[in-house]
């Protein structure tokens, strides 16, 4: 049975006070036993979040990490710094990192390798732009993103990988992929992994969908066979909305 996961990507939102308010609200909700729940605050709020959550089932992820172990990288944060504050998961390859900070498949491969070698879990994001879908290139784009950044990993390393298919045209736009579009792409991804590795491995990897998931559409999307949960942006900033999504399986 694959993990079912709901992860909230807070992006550059929630200062110290807002983090405290949101996490206390999330803590007060009861959570289903069969769903892993994560939140990804800003770097400055990671330590606070880990200690505030204490032994709650919600875990804390970072939104980015540098590929180097240490050195002259002004403004950057390393894997050991994340681990030092109790963070064991990192989101990599979000479309905003790709478009605003010029991350690409090659630079992401370095981040993936460093993170995996250091024992981190990664939530690896990828997905096509609107023009790529319109011109029917979405499968090729996704195949390239996965092959170039992930397919040199050993089979054993995949126990540390969660995938997040996020069509760029659906992120923060209010427009979602239809459940059928999500299922079609997730099945395609699982098939790629099966071709490169094994059927067992392909069946074990959790593939999340991200892109305007809300309480009103989560159940339908999560009910698709190859959709194992969601990466949630906007709706993760509201405790009731986020917990409604967590409870939508
Ligand atoms: C995201 O940023 O990963 C995301 C899915 O955002 P939203 O849910 O707001 O579309």
């Amino acid at each position: 049975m694959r993990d079912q996961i709901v992860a909230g990507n807070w992006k550059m939102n929630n200062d110290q006070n807002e983090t405290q308010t949101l996490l206390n609200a999330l803590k007060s909700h009861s959570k289903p036993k069969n769903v892993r729940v994560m939140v990804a605050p800003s770097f400055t709020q990671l330590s606070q979040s880990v200690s505030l959550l204490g032994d709650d089932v919600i875990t804390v992820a970072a939104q980015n990490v540098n590929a180097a172990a240490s050195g002259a990288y002004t403004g950057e944060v390393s894997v050991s710094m994340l681990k030092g504050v109790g963070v064991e998961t990192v989101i990599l390859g979000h479309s905003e990192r790709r478009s605003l900070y010029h991350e690409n498949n090659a630079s992401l491969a370095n981040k993936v390798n460093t993170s995996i070698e250091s024992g981190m879990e990664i939530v690896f994001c990828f997905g096509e732009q609107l023009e790529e879908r319109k011109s029917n290139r979405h499968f090729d784009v996704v195949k390239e993103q996965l092959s170039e950044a992930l397919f040199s990993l050993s089979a054993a390393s995949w126990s540390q990988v969660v995938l997040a298919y996020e069509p760029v045209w659906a992120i923060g736009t209010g427009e979602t992929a239809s459940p059928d579009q999500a299922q079609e792409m997730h099945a395609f991804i699982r098939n790629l992994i099966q071709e490169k590795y094994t059927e067992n491995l392909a069946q074990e990897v959790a593939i999340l969908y991200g892109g305007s998931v809300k309480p009103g559409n989560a159940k339908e999307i999560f009910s698709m066979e190859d959709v194992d949960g969601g990466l949630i942006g906007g709706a993760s900033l509201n405790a009731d909305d986020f917990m409604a999504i967590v409870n939508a399986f």
Side-chain angles (χ1 to χ4, degrees), residues 13-24:
N13 294 295
N14 292 331
D15 63 14
Q16 177 112 347
N17 290 336
E18 291 159 339
T19 295
Q20 186 171 350
T21 305
L22 180 50
L23 290 181
N24 279 333

Side-chain angles (χ1 to χ4, degrees), residues 37-41 45-46 49-50 53 58-62 86-89:
V37 186
M38 299 178 197
V39 292
Q45 268 36 79
L46 290 174
S49 300
V50 169
L53 285 166
I58 299 175
T59 58
V60 178
V87 173
E88 297 288 338
T89 304

Side-chain angles (χ1 to χ4, degrees), residues 173-207:
T173 58
E175 191 171 340
T176 43
S178 69
D180 287 341
Q181 284 174 321
Q183 169 57 29
E184 182 185 36
M185 182 58 87
H186 285 220
F188 171 78
I189 293 161
R190 225 178 274 293
N191 193 52
L192 285 179
I193 299 168
Q194 179 172 333
E195 281 172 5
K196 172 70 190 171
Y197 296 91
T198 62
E199 185 180 355
N200 272 356
L201 197 156
Q203 287 304 324
E204 278 162 20
V205 177
I207 311 177

Side-chain angles (χ1 to χ4, degrees), residues 142-170:
V142 162
K143 183 175 182 181
E144 192 171 288
Q145 289 172 325
L146 292 180
S147 326
E148 293 185 6
L150 297 180
F151 281 5
S152 40
L153 290 175
S154 69
S157 302
W158 278 77
S159 60
Q160 294 162 245
V161 178
V162 173
L163 298 178
Y165 168 58
E166 299 206 301
V168 179
W169 47 272

Side-chain angles (χ1 to χ4, degrees), residues 42-247:
S42 304
F43 285 136
T44 51
Q45 268 36 79
L46 290 174
S47 184
Q48 176 197 9
S49 300
V50 169
S51 47
L52 208 151
L53 285 166
D55 57 10
D56 195 277
V57 295
I58 299 175
T59 58
V60 178
Q63 299 174 18
N64 183 30
V65 75
N66 193 276
S70 63
Y73 302 99
T74 301
E76 292 291 296
V77 166
S78 71
V79 165
S80 69
M81 290 168 182
L82 296 182
K83 293 191 128 195
V85 295
V87 173
E88 297 288 338
T89 304
V90 60
I91 296 173
L92 293 176
H94 191 277
S95 73
E96 287 149 20
R97 300 289 323 164
R98 292 175 190 259
S99 64
L100 300 173
Y101 304 103
H102 314 296
E103 294 191 359
N104 56 38
N105 298 338
S107 64
L108 285 166
N110 291 332
K111 292 187 177 202
V112 166
N113 293 338
T114 301
S115 303
I116 296 286
E117 279 161 23
S118 316
M120 297 285 284
E121 175 183 55
I122 62 170
V123 178
F124 185 79
C125 308
F126 54 95
E128 80 282 359
Q129 314 263 352
L130 185 58
E131 317 81 70
E132 292 165 338
R133 179 162 280 266
K134 281 187 173 159
S135 58
N136 212 25
R137 286 183 291 133
H138 46 299
F139 293 117
D140 290 342
V141 168
V142 162
K143 183 175 182 181
E144 192 171 288
Q145 289 172 325
L146 292 180
S147 326
E148 293 185 6
L150 297 180
F151 281 5
S152 40
L153 290 175
S154 69
S157 302
W158 278 77
S159 60
Q160 294 162 245
V161 178
V162 173
L163 298 178
Y165 168 58
E166 299 206 301
V168 179
W169 47 272
I171 297 179
T173 58
E175 191 171 340
T176 43
S178 69
D180 287 341
Q181 284 174 321
Q183 169 57 29
E184 182 185 36
M185 182 58 87
H186 285 220
F188 171 78
I189 293 161
R190 225 178 274 293
N191 193 52
L192 285 179
I193 299 168
Q194 179 172 333
E195 281 172 5
K196 172 70 190 171
Y197 296 91
T198 62
E199 185 180 355
N200 272 356
L201 197 156
Q203 287 304 324
E204 278 162 20
V205 177
I207 311 177
L208 314 185
Y209 167 80
S212 299
V213 176
K214 307 277 181 237
N217 60 22
K219 200 173 189 63
E220 208 186 352
I221 296 172
F222 294 173
S223 71
M224 304 312 285
E225 190 183 338
D226 287 295
V227 178
D228 303 309
L231 181 56
I232 317 299
S236 72
L237 301 175
N238 177 291
D240 291 338
D241 287 352
F242 188 59
M243 291 313 300
I245 294 170
V246 168
N247 283 291

